[in-house]
Amino acid sequence: MAFRTYTGLRASRSALGGNVFRQSLSAATQLNRPRKVETNAQGAQTKEAKATRSKYKLTKAAGKSRYEVAPGQRIATATAGVPALVRLGTAAFVAGNLKNFRKRPSKPIELYEFEGCPFCRKVREACTLLDIDVLMYPCPKGGPTWRPKAVQLSGKSQFPFMVDPNTGRKMGESDDIINYLWNEYGDGNVPLLLKLGPVTAISNTLALLPRINRGISYRKSKLPKNPIDLWAYEASPFCKLAREVFVELEIPHIYHSVARNSPKRQELIDKWDVFQVPYIEDPNTGVAMFETPDIIDYLEKTYAV
């Protein structure tokens, strides 16, 4: 199956360490497991929900309320859960003072990045805490489209690189991007775990080591005409597995960050009367779906060459 082929990692319990394996698997399931399914019986009555249901065909519904790891995917899920463990759950929740933030960007921030880059991950954590949407342009090594464009815009092969269409600002350097975003869209007070300098960089590097070979290198693909909409959040291992494929296939996507306590979770509940991530809407095909293995299989069959 595609899920086994593209999300499996050449690892073993002994390589990860028994305790780390068990802890990361526990963190993986707990961070994405709702205590109960969030539903709204009136969701389908909203204007946005009606528009979604008329435009998209839900080809894979959300699974059971108590999240179960797919059979045969314990190692993949555990390794994808290591970042949340190493980073102490950073980006599992939105910032607690969200209501005091200065403003919301009217257009998504544009970010040239790739999944396996620790400096890119720092910025993605900041975007999750700020609860802002981001238009991701994946820049895997060898990618023929977005990486060259980023180099053209910035003048150097360095990632991440940000463009804010709301203000016209363009910048590289992860710390500069984080400070800018927090001053422009937050309250100016960057959280401690994002401003520890080398400690933040090293911990993000260690967090990515178990899946060091994923979300880095380009695999031949055909680009969609329009970006795919992805509802996810950085600390979720299930979202990470899907994101790796988005990056490797160089598929642009609008990342709707919906960490715990995000008010945007209600938008997803309104669409299908349930909350679960990852969830995608592909405006190029009219397909909408939940469930990581099904999303990965869909991306492979539709966009991989």
Side-chain angles (χ1 to χ4, degrees), residues 41 62 92 104 118 136 138 178 211 231 242 298:
R104 302 283 81 192
M136 300 286 195
I178 290 170
R211 298 189 65 76
W231 277 259
Y298 169 78

Side-chain angles (χ1 to χ4, degrees), residues 111-159:
L111 191 63
Y112 294 81
E113 55 82 51
F114 59 99
E115 180 68 23
C117 167
F119 303 102
C120 300
R121 191 176 191 283
K122 280 170 49 178
V123 174
R124 295 198 304 269
E125 284 183 337
C127 292
T128 298
L129 288 164
L130 288 166
D131 200 40
I132 58 178
D133 294 344
V134 181
L135 174 53
M136 300 286 195
Y137 289 112
C139 300
K141 294 179 181 178
T145 308
W146 309 122
R147 180 173 278 250
K149 183 177 179 180
V151 173
Q152 182 181 15
L153 287 171
S154 66
K156 58 180 73 173
S157 183
Q158 182 175 309
F159 300 91

Side-chain angles (χ1 to χ4, degrees), residues 1 13 23 28 108 110 142 190 205 225 237 239:
M1 293 177 63
R13 296 194 182 204
Q23 291 172 12
E110 298 174 8
V190 178
T205 301
K225 182 178 180 180
C239 298

Side-chain angles (χ1 to χ4, degrees), residues 71-86:
Q73 302 307 319
R74 291 177 62 85
I75 290 179
T77 304
T79 54
V82 168
L85 186 67
V86 174

Side-chain angles (χ1 to χ4, degrees), residues 34-91:
R35 289 183 175 83
K36 62 179 181 178
V37 173
E38 301 175 58
T39 61
N40 178 2
Q42 300 302 315
Q45 303 304 312
T46 67
K47 181 179 179 180
E48 293 78 9
K50 287 182 177 179
T52 296
R53 294 190 179 202
S54 64
K55 183 178 180 179
Y56 294 98
K57 178 183 179 181
L58 187 65
T59 60
K60 179 62 179 180
K64 299 178 181 180
S65 59
R66 293 188 63 81
Y67 199 94
E68 298 294 338
V69 177
Q73 302 307 319
R74 291 177 62 85
I75 290 179
T77 304
T79 54
V82 168
L85 186 67
V86 174
R87 291 289 294 152
L88 304 178
T90 303

